[in-house]
Amino acid sequence: MTEDRKPTTREKRNAAERVREAARDLFYRQGIHATGVEELCRVAGTTKMGLYRSFPSKDALVEALLEEQCESGEALYAETMALPDPRQRPWHYVEQAAALLRSPGFRACPMAIVTVEFPDPDHAVRKLIDGYRQVKRDRLRKMCAEAGAPEALGDTLLLLLEGAFTSAAYLGNEAAAESLEQAARALLTEAYGPREGAPAA
């Protein structure tokens, strides 16, 4: 494809998909600021012009990837809230987090990684992250309240989840997942009683 020819819709879509895939991997493994546009284009198999046709800026690409993370969180929340027994929902949410910790290649929460690289709370990227985290907090509080526990239990679960994701870097993923399960088991058993099929102590 020559630079002066207008790309087709298929070419634009494919370029955007390749850029997303390359950025998702590179940003997660080595950091956003450490990944240059030239390297990103090389891995994605496109040109700078091709990249900027799909995303007007590097920050816009970061925002697009964060929106993917938000969508995954939305899907998990919807799946959890679809469970018929409200008391099972906090357990399910914690179990899915532990499963994520155990997934191959997991090294940290992507949003936590991005937060470190964008310290300015007024930056559009940070506003997106901080807004989503507040929504997550509100949902956990609602989940716990609907299950018959104090809303504040949602805050405690949020701290456990974020602590597990952060500690995986030095504890190891399996140890972090086990610690999360053990701590959550103690809290949720006290609030709702033991759950059949919950991870054994």
Side-chain angles (χ1 to χ4, degrees):
M1 183 178 73
T2 59
E3 293 294 342
D4 59 348
R5 180 172 69 82
K6 195 171 184 178
T8 65
T9 301
R10 178 180 177 79
E11 288 168 340
K12 284 182 178 179
R13 184 178 65 250
N14 287 345
E17 289 171 354
R18 292 197 307 272
V19 168
R20 278 178 182 264
E21 181 178 357
R24 199 179 296 118
D25 176 61
L26 291 171
F27 290 172
Y28 190 63
R29 285 192 298 107
Q30 64 188 32
I32 297 168
H33 297 321
T35 302
V37 171
E38 290 185 0
E39 180 183 12
L40 182 56
C41 290
R42 177 179 57 77
V43 174
T46 189
T47 62
K48 287 184 180 180
M49 185 174 292
L51 186 154
Y52 290 124
R53 282 195 187 108
S54 302
F55 304 96
S57 67
K58 190 176 178 183
D59 284 357
L61 173 57
V62 173
E63 289 181 45
L65 296 179
L66 287 173
E67 286 168 359
E68 287 183 3
Q69 291 294 315
C70 293
E71 289 169 5
S72 295
E74 295 277 351
L76 173 57
Y77 179 73
E79 172 191 311
T80 302
M81 296 304 286
L83 295 175
D85 184 354
R87 293 173 301 174
Q88 300 300 310
R89 295 169 186 169
W91 284 107
H92 179 79
Y93 201 89
V94 169
E95 286 174 345
Q96 295 307 304
L100 178 60
L101 278 163
R102 292 186 171 103
S103 61
F106 181 88
R107 56 182 292 263
C109 171
M111 287 195 176
I113 293 174
V114 178
T115 299
V116 173
E117 298 210 43
F118 289 85
D120 181 2
D122 292 325
H123 193 286
V125 168
R126 273 294 303 277
K127 287 182 176 179
L128 178 60
I129 294 172
D130 294 346
Y132 174 74
R133 282 175 162 167
Q134 184 60 55
V135 168
K136 183 177 179 179
R137 180 197 178 210
D138 293 342
R139 287 175 170 175
L140 281 169
R141 288 172 64 87
K142 177 183 177 182
M143 189 186 301
C144 290
E146 289 185 354
E151 282 189 348
L153 180 61
D155 290 338
T156 306
L157 287 179
L158 181 61
L159 291 174
L160 284 178
L161 292 165
E162 295 196 348
F165 288 151
T166 301
S167 65
Y170 60 90
L171 289 180
N173 291 21
E174 181 60 31
E178 288 180 359
S179 294
L180 170 62
E181 289 172 337
Q182 290 170 6
R185 184 188 309 111
L187 285 170
L188 296 176
T189 298
E190 182 179 355
Y192 310 122
R195 173 188 173 180
E196 183 179 351

